[in-house]
Amino acid sequence: MSSLPRFPEGFLWGASTAAYQIEGAVAEDGRGPSIWDTFSHAEGRTKDGDTGDVAADHYHRWPEDVGLLAELGANAYRFSIAWPRIQPSGSGAANPRGLDFYDQLVDALAERGITPVPTLFHWDLPQALEDEGGWLNRQTAYRFAEYTALVADRLGDRVKLWITLNEPFIHMSLGYALGMHAPGRTLGLDALPVAHHQLLAHGLAARQLHDRGLGVMIANNCTPVRPASEDEHDVAAAAVYDALHNRLFNDPVLLGTYPDLSALGPEAYPSFVEDDDLAVIGAPLEGLGINYYTPSVVGYADPAGNEGLPFTLNQIEGVPTTAFGWPVVPDGLRDLLVGLRDRYGSALPPVYITENGCSTNDVLTNDDRVHDTARIDFLAGHLRALHEAIEAGVDVRGYLTWSLIDNFEWAEGYSQRFGLAYVDYPTQRRVPKDSFHWLRDEIAAQR
Ligand code: IFM
């Protein structure tokens, strides 16, 4: 019996993954090195020195993983394409064996009636492009459009809905501002050109996809922002954080404008934005991907003692937390979506939840079970909140949970398990967790 209210007809149900986090096989079939190969192999960058060299071995076990999706009853699967498999040195002709890998995956999904929703960039930039400045270099945006064309030419007959970038805010902030992710740069606010060049890449890639009659989305990491108090300084600080985390990436793609970031410095971005860029970036989208994990409570900070930032992120008390320590606030998803609808109105395209999930301290029992009750509670709470947003009039078309299987959680290595299926890394055996069975039953009840 279902514990969830009824979702709209044709709703997409499924799960998400990303290439570097699951594939492994980093030196196979002509794949070139990515910034995550370099970063994870550098001393002290990831927990326990973990790398994605083998990850969940999806490159060899993909038929089994497609089988898991089928068993789940998924009608959609979001995966990412590894740019370094397609263009090992970041430019030039496509590596046919790289394209073949995704071609066979797409065919296998189609055979099972599962809609493929590929992401073209989920943080694994070819190292050769990083050597030329990575996303600090405007040329990377043009390289991305060329790469997009190569992939779309091969898969566009079967793949109709595409995601250009995954979470450009997280890639900019953790990768280029704070140095916690690849490529490990610590530029602080000087990382802002990375936002613009990623957005330009999105716009140029969207043009390639649209020219081929294909649908386009971007997957933005969004957080509902709440001020720490009603004090005007906290309220203003919250508005700045909202502009940096959410609006910097949503306004340009939905409205063709940038939010006011002058609170971060007198020349936050004008110098690197060229004349027609915003028109390219603001091309109409067929969907907006939302990755939601937790809200943000923001208070005022004196920029002088806070690396130029006029805000601070406060602890959220009194709610459960994930194994990662992230506060679990399902209502935040409803508030976020209703807030997006109120802010963007008719400029908001159909919304797809392209990520939402939690890490838990999973234990494989002797009888091959994983009792991840906390994940079931997480999913049930967020799906109910999502339904409330739909009832409030937000056009939500799908829910793709993060993640199908346990995987390489970036700087946290293999210590954080987000999967519906447990991966026993020494054997690479997949064991569906209790949450997998729960979601399978809920999806079946919706049909
Ligand atoms: O694992 C990541 C994913 O790659 C991007 N979004 C957040 C997830 C959990 O941290």
Side-chain angles (χ1 to χ4, degrees):
M1 207 185 71
S2 171
S3 62
L4 296 176
R6 187 135 204 98
F7 280 73
E9 205 59 39
F11 197 76
L12 293 184
W13 295 95
S16 292
T17 60
Y20 190 75
Q21 294 181 269
I22 62 167
E23 285 181 0
V26 292
E28 267 180 64
D29 290 339
R31 179 188 180 276
S34 79
I35 56 173
W36 268 98
D37 297 293
T38 309
F39 186 80
S40 64
H41 278 271
E43 180 89 31
R45 291 301 206 167
T46 63
K47 194 165 172 29
D48 301 328
D50 287 345
T51 74
D53 287 3
V54 177
D57 197 29
H58 170 81
Y59 195 74
H60 302 113
R61 293 168 194 266
W62 63 268
E64 193 182 341
D65 294 335
V66 172
L68 279 174
L69 284 161
E71 193 184 331
L72 183 66
N75 58 358
Y77 174 48
R78 174 180 178 233
F79 59 96
S80 83
I81 293 173
W83 189 348
R85 287 199 192 283
I86 309 302
Q87 290 180 303
S89 56
S91 61
N95 165 30
R97 288 175 294 168
L99 286 173
D100 288 348
F101 175 70
Y102 298 104
D103 197 277
Q104 63 186 357
L105 177 64
V106 162
D107 276 348
L109 292 168
E111 274 167 29
R112 309 282 193 135
I114 301 168
T115 301
V117 187
T119 305
L120 286 155
F121 179 69
H122 198 124
W123 304 350
D124 45 357
L125 191 75
Q127 180 61 41
L129 293 182
E130 177 59 27
D131 295 342
E132 290 168 22
W135 289 109
L136 290 162
N137 181 350
R138 185 179 167 93
Q139 290 307 311
T140 299
Y142 297 96
R143 297 294 82 75
F144 183 70
E146 291 159 10
Y147 150 68
T148 298
L150 294 173
V151 181
D153 280 344
R154 180 69 179 267
L155 303 182
D157 56 338
R158 286 151 290 156
V159 175
K160 299 301 173 192
L161 190 56
W162 295 72
I163 296 172
T164 53
L165 309 176
N166 179 69
E167 298 183 354
F169 170 73
I170 302 292
H171 191 52
M172 172 189 77
S173 53
L174 298 191
Y176 285 84
L178 302 172
M180 293 157 65
H181 277 188
R185 312 279 304 257
T186 49
L187 298 171
L189 285 171
D190 290 338
L192 271 177
V194 169
H196 182 65
H197 296 148
Q198 286 184 93
L199 286 163
L200 181 61
H202 157 81
L204 293 168
R207 191 176 272 177
Q208 294 294 332
L209 294 163
H210 283 151
D211 283 353
R212 291 163 176 77
L214 304 172
V216 184
M217 302 203 272
I218 185 170
N220 278 339
N221 180 296
C222 291
T223 178
V225 178
R226 301 166 181 172
S229 77
E230 282 170 21
D231 179 279
E232 61 181 302
H233 294 99
D234 286 342
V235 172
V240 176
Y241 188 74
D242 186 31
L244 184 63
H245 190 135
N246 298 314
R247 293 185 56 198
L248 177 56
F249 299 91
N250 287 330
D251 284 16
V253 299
L254 299 180
L255 305 175
T257 58
Y258 270 126
D260 178 8
L261 282 187
S262 52
L264 297 177
E267 267 217 67
Y269 31 56
S271 56
F272 46 80
V273 180
E274 296 187 9
D275 276 354
D276 294 329
D277 288 358
L278 280 163
V280 173
I281 295 168
L285 296 179
E286 285 62 47
L288 179 66
I290 296 291
N291 295 1
Y292 169 71
Y293 288 91
T294 197
S296 301
V297 174
V298 179
Y300 170 77
D302 181 352
N306 195 38
E307 312 213 335
L309 299 176
F311 56 76
T312 180
L313 291 170
N314 291 5
Q315 294 283 351
I316 299 177
E317 308 289 352
V319 297
T321 52
T322 69
F324 225 141
W326 297 350
V328 177
V329 186
D331 286 354
L333 179 56
R334 178 200 59 215
D335 297 349
L336 171 69
L337 296 175
V338 170
L340 285 170
R341 195 267 322 269
D342 292 349
R343 176 175 287 159
Y344 296 107
S346 61
L348 184 69
V351 169
Y352 295 79
I353 305 305
T354 37
E355 283 184 33
N356 174 241
C358 62
S359 59
T360 49
N361 294 314
D362 295 328
V363 177
L364 187 60
T365 62
N366 290 337
D367 60 345
D368 249 3
R369 300 289 301 269
V370 178
H371 300 303
D372 57 339
T373 320
R375 179 169 291 99
I376 295 175
D377 292 345
F378 183 101
L379 294 174
H382 285 77
L383 282 163
R384 282 193 202 102
L386 182 61
H387 194 269
E388 286 170 18
I390 294 171
E391 289 211 304
V394 186
D395 181 4
V396 185
R397 303 270 176 100
Y399 180 84
L400 304 168
T401 189
W402 185 267
S403 181
L404 177 65
I405 52 177
D406 292 337
N407 57 55
F408 175 77
E409 177 53 28
W410 308 113
E412 297 302 313
Y414 296 97
S415 67
Q416 299 293 331
R417 292 179 177 272
F418 278 88
L420 292 174
Y422 184 92
V423 175
D424 179 44
Y425 290 111
T427 63
Q428 293 291 356
R429 205 158 55 87
R430 276 78 164 133
V431 180
K433 303 178 189 176
D434 286 358
S435 60
F436 180 101
H437 300 299
W438 177 86
L439 188 57
R440 178 200 58 196
D441 292 348
E442 292 296 337
I443 293 173
Q446 294 286 330
R447 298 252 163 80

